[in-house]
Amino acid sequence: MNLHFTEEQEYIRKMVRDFAKNEIASIAAQIDVSDQFPLELIKKMGKLGLLGIPIPEEWGGVGADFISYIATIEEISKASAAVGVILAVHTSVGTLPILNFGTEEQKGKYVTKLAKGEMIGAFALTEPQAGSDAGRIKLIAIDKDDHYQLDGSKIFITNGGVADLYVTFAVTDPTKGTKGISAFIVEKDTPGFTIGKKEKKMGLHGSNTTMLHFDQAKVPKANQLGQVGEGFKIAMSNLDGGRIGIGAQALGIAQAALEASIQYAKERKQFGQPISTFQAIQWKLADMATQIEAARLLIYQAASVHQAKGNSTKLSSMAKMFASDVAMKVTTEAVQIMGGYGYMRDYPVERYFRDAKITQIYEGTNQIQRMVIANQLFK
Ligand code: CAA
């Protein structure tokens, strides 16, 4: 495995790092406090191509590779994890399923706009009674000859209410289990489709999370994605890439927390000297940096296998699980190093701590990732 970035990957990483530093870091706290979706920023990112990094140029994207995309999420999330997840969900599971499984017509109609940020994408799998057990969704899609009629609800949908389209999973044949699930592209103004309650979250303020309601929603046949019965496979295979993205989001948060801790330790004086001179602090920082480096290696290894179109299922779950656990440990230590100041909203580590928690939960809890890894080990 080549751990060195190519010139192009390095160029993209630097461009994104500069953008995140200049355009996002300064407003990240404000996004957190206001809990308002940063539409203007997302539109700016779209114009720069950041919403279409791994999408081929023929479909309106930058045409860069998956590793560059993962580096983009890492850099953006270092400045704001909320912006990181908006980008990750839009791309990994809002756009790539259409690129990978859509017809030429669907790609022309949607992917080109999603890649340029002219549309925002979302992914609607989770339901109130089907979170970890995604194969038991109940949203029903009835074939009405010229369209599908969808009835039911989705919950915890990232980019809900701000997305222009939702890659939605529904049951077309309740007798067939996961093979009875199909995927649909649901546009926001579909008759019978409405946005439900906006959730109030512990962290990731500024990233919208809502319910979705389908009441005899009329989805055109042309918006069926992939084959009938192929929906679960579409969801799972795109989550393979998505989970690496969430790992990169966690990595960005952890890196930001480490950097804030180092800076604070150098400046903060107690007992007549900077706290960076105390072994108790040095050992915490050494452990944090080592865990981050290990997470980074796993993430980019998973990304390189995914990019080479190999089976990344096991590595994707490992990367997501490990990096998110690291983010939680590192942000916890960052708060501890900063003591009372770490607990206050005046410093960003309190936000990093709140934002880190969800990375252990969404795109499959870390317990589900262990199930996936174990299943792969026995194959
Ligand atoms: N790629 C392709 N196909 C896959 C696959 C993959 N990675 N994983 C499973 N499949 C296929 C299997 O091969 C199987 O098909 P066959 O019978 O033909 O072999 C079929 O799907 C069913 O697989 P399983 O028997 O493994 O399915 P299961 O019901 O046991 O569920 C699970 C597996 C891993 C628990 C799954 O339900 C899961 O991932 N749960 C977590 C849900 C999740 O991650 N939700 C994320 C929501 S999106 C989100 O969070 C976005 C956000 O906001 C940030």
Side-chain angles (χ1 to χ4, degrees):
M1 184 202 157
N2 179 10
L3 287 176
H4 297 288
F5 274 24
T6 63
E7 227 170 87
E8 185 188 320
Q9 290 162 350
E10 203 52 71
Y11 173 83
I12 291 176
R13 177 157 71 173
K14 185 174 178 320
M15 185 268 286
V16 177
R17 183 174 288 173
D18 290 346
F19 177 82
K21 202 170 146 204
N22 299 329
E23 307 275 344
I24 306 181
S26 55
I27 57 167
Q30 192 188 318
I31 294 172
D32 179 54
V33 172
S34 69
D35 198 8
Q36 290 301 308
F37 184 85
L39 188 59
E40 209 181 301
L41 172 67
I42 298 300
K43 291 287 165 198
K44 201 185 271 184
M45 287 168 61
K47 287 209 174 82
L48 270 176
L50 299 184
L51 299 190
I53 295 275
I55 310 301
E57 284 172 275
E58 65 170 310
W59 300 114
V62 167
D65 60 11
F66 192 75
I67 290 177
S68 304
Y69 165 59
I70 291 301
T72 300
I73 299 179
E74 181 189 344
E75 294 299 337
I76 299 279
S77 302
K78 201 176 141 190
S80 164
V83 180
V85 77
I86 294 167
L87 165 75
V89 166
H90 164 85
T91 315
S92 296
V93 287
T95 307
L96 286 172
I98 307 178
L99 180 73
N100 294 334
F101 292 92
T103 60
E104 296 293 292
E105 197 194 359
Q106 289 169 343
K107 289 190 234 181
K109 187 169 174 194
Y110 299 116
V111 175
T112 46
K113 291 201 171 119
L114 288 161
K116 292 183 196 153
E118 290 166 9
M119 281 183 136
I120 294 174
F123 181 80
L125 176 65
T126 304
E127 296 184 5
Q129 307 305 325
S132 289
D133 193 1
R136 302 279 178 108
I137 57 168
K138 292 272 179 288
L139 177 71
I140 188 93
I142 300 167
D143 189 337
K144 293 278 184 184
D145 289 335
D146 64 330
H147 69 277
Y148 278 96
Q149 178 182 300
L150 272 59
D151 279 283
S153 293
K154 295 286 177 184
I155 198 170
F156 301 156
I157 304 307
T158 300
N159 293 345
V162 291
D164 297 279
L165 67 81
Y166 298 79
V167 174
T168 301
F169 300 88
V171 177
T172 39
D173 186 344
T175 65
K176 289 192 176 155
T178 54
K179 297 227 168 18
I181 295 173
S182 303
F184 301 89
I185 302 165
V186 176
E187 291 193 33
K188 67 174 179 190
D189 47 13
T190 298
F193 171 69
T194 49
I195 305 298
K197 160 175 148 255
K198 181 182 166 191
E199 305 293 345
K200 290 188 184 132
K201 307 191 294 290
M202 174 191 285
L204 288 194
H205 298 161
S207 141
N208 268 39
T209 307
T210 71
M211 283 194 82
L212 307 177
H213 300 297
F214 300 79
D215 181 9
Q216 299 191 351
K218 214 171 161 182
V219 177
K221 279 267 165 92
N223 283 25
Q224 186 205 308
L225 181 62
Q227 302 299 313
V228 173
E230 207 184 13
F232 198 70
K233 191 178 120 195
I234 294 175
M236 290 299 128
S237 58
N238 280 283
L239 283 171
D240 280 350
R243 287 168 180 164
I244 307 173
I246 298 305
Q249 184 203 20
L251 178 63
I253 300 170
Q255 181 67 37
L258 174 68
E259 289 177 18
S261 305
I262 293 170
Q263 191 187 335
Y264 182 86
K266 289 202 281 197
E267 287 163 9
R268 174 73 170 166
K269 284 197 176 131
Q270 288 294 279
F271 305 100
Q273 50 193 317
I275 63 168
S276 60
T277 59
F278 299 130
Q279 197 178 49
I281 302 295
Q282 290 176 357
W283 285 19
K284 277 192 195 301
L285 291 168
D287 284 345
M288 289 155 75
T290 306
Q291 287 165 4
I292 288 172
E293 222 40 68
R296 183 168 283 116
L297 291 175
L298 200 41
I299 286 164
Y300 285 99
Q301 189 188 354
S304 80
V305 170
H306 193 75
Q307 179 168 289
K309 309 272 181 240
N311 179 348
S312 72
T313 304
K314 183 179 74 180
L315 280 170
S316 298
S317 286
M318 286 176 167
K320 189 272 187 195
M321 176 187 86
F322 189 79
S324 58
D325 283 349
V326 164
M328 205 58 237
K329 278 188 217 147
V330 166
T331 54
T332 303
E333 288 294 50
V335 171
Q336 193 67 24
I337 288 170
M338 294 182 61
Y341 291 107
Y343 200 67
M344 303 301 155
R345 294 212 163 176
D346 302 338
Y347 287 87
V349 294
E350 176 269 346
R351 168 166 55 91
Y352 302 152
F353 178 84
R354 283 184 287 112
D355 287 350
K357 185 61 206 170
I358 190 62
T359 63
Q360 294 180 305
I361 298 171
Y362 59 22
E363 294 220 5
T365 65
N366 284 1
Q367 289 66 37
I368 289 294
Q369 307 308 327
R370 285 177 174 86
M371 268 174 59
V372 173
I373 295 163
N375 281 342
Q376 292 290 318
L377 292 177
F378 289 124
K379 271 194 174 163

